[in-house]
Amino acid sequence: MNNPKFNDLLKWGIENSEASRNDPDAPKNPNTKLDPQTLQEILSGMSGPSDAEVMKNKMEVITHPECTLEQKTIAFEDFEMLIQGIDNANNLEPLKLWVPLIEQLENPEPELRKYAAWCAGTAVENNIKSQERLLVLGALPTLVKLATEDDNLAVRKKAVRALSCATRNFQPALDAVVDSVPAAFKPEKKLDAGDMDSVDSLIDALRTDAGRVR
């Protein structure tokens, strides 16, 4: 507590307390002034790291070669909860976290592929900015491959969910997925991303196939 800003806050609190106001010997015009910037700096320091800082720290754990699988999965769980907020999801791009997240879709460890697909789906759900990033970064063919070819059931299911979230109300992504799916899933006519029944005609087929025993 040697920080002078904390000392200023303490003095300001004492001078403006009810006890001081009722003390006839206390100064009537307190000398300590607390400008808004100082107050914000103090409160920021007391509130801990920002969501952006936590997100970066979690991704460092996820991608660190010496961290255990348990540490990585815990970090992924925390990361997924954070990006449930649309502001945090939209921060993936300025924080440069999209690329390392997408790279995890091809991790040899199925648990990490699962979490990567899960996070991708969470980030793009009802979020046009994130849908655009997933498309631009070329992750949709990888998700299609996971959904249709991965040996792990949980990975396939999370990949289908991600594709479902990525394609709804976003025609470019739906078109890209249709281009990437195996021939057995190709629709007979063009699908409409704004028509949920149209989207579901593809997603339901992928989901059913993902659930079958390999």
Side-chain angles (χ1 to χ4, degrees):
M1 288 296 181
N2 294 326
N3 189 328
K5 292 180 179 178
F6 280 104
N7 293 334
D8 288 344
L9 178 62
L10 180 60
K11 289 173 61 179
W12 180 85
I14 293 172
E15 291 173 357
N16 290 273
S17 67
E18 184 175 357
S20 294
R21 289 196 297 270
N22 294 331
D23 184 351
D25 296 324
K28 297 306 177 186
N29 297 306
N31 295 320
T32 304
K33 303 297 182 183
L34 203 61
D35 64 90
Q37 182 177 352
T38 298
L39 181 59
Q40 181 61 42
E41 289 176 1
I42 293 171
L43 292 177
S44 296
M46 295 172 64
S47 63
S50 66
D51 282 358
E53 291 171 322
V54 175
M55 288 165 62
K56 289 191 292 185
N57 290 339
K58 296 300 179 183
M59 186 56 70
E60 287 177 2
V61 173
I62 292 165
T63 57
H64 198 290
E66 295 183 5
C67 288
T68 66
L69 177 60
E70 181 180 11
Q71 290 171 325
K72 290 172 183 281
T73 55
I74 291 172
F76 246 142
E77 288 175 357
D78 295 341
F79 191 85
E80 194 275 334
M81 285 191 291
L82 283 165
I83 62 174
Q84 288 176 16
I86 192 168
D87 289 338
N88 285 338
N90 287 337
N91 262 341
L92 289 172
E93 177 60 18
L95 294 174
K96 302 186 186 307
L97 296 177
W98 262 121
V99 170
L101 174 59
I102 290 172
E103 287 175 346
Q104 293 301 308
L105 292 172
E106 299 183 272
N107 194 294
E109 172 54 56
E111 191 72 1
L112 299 182
R113 296 198 301 275
K114 179 192 78 174
Y115 273 105
W118 189 352
C119 287
T122 297
V124 301
E125 188 170 14
N126 301 315
N127 186 340
I128 183 65
K129 288 184 179 180
S130 291
Q131 287 175 313
E132 289 172 347
R133 295 315 304 165
L134 198 67
L135 173 66
V136 169
L137 292 171
L140 293 175
T142 303
L143 285 166
V144 168
K145 185 175 181 179
L146 292 180
T148 57
E149 299 180 19
D150 202 276
D151 292 335
N152 186 279
L153 174 63
V155 173
R156 296 196 301 271
K157 287 186 172 182
K158 290 302 183 184
V160 172
R161 172 184 176 266
L163 291 171
S164 176
C165 295
T167 54
R168 295 183 188 278
N169 294 308
F170 187 45
Q171 193 66 45
L174 182 57
D175 293 341
V177 171
V178 169
D179 288 342
S180 300
V181 295
F185 299 99
K186 299 285 187 184
E188 295 181 356
K189 59 182 180 180
K190 184 176 177 63
L191 301 182
D192 180 358
D195 181 344
M196 296 305 99
D197 288 338
S198 182
V199 176
D200 282 339
S201 67
L202 174 60
I203 298 300
D204 287 347
L206 290 170
R207 185 178 291 114
T208 298
D209 180 72
R212 68 179 176 84
V213 178
R214 292 294 195 267

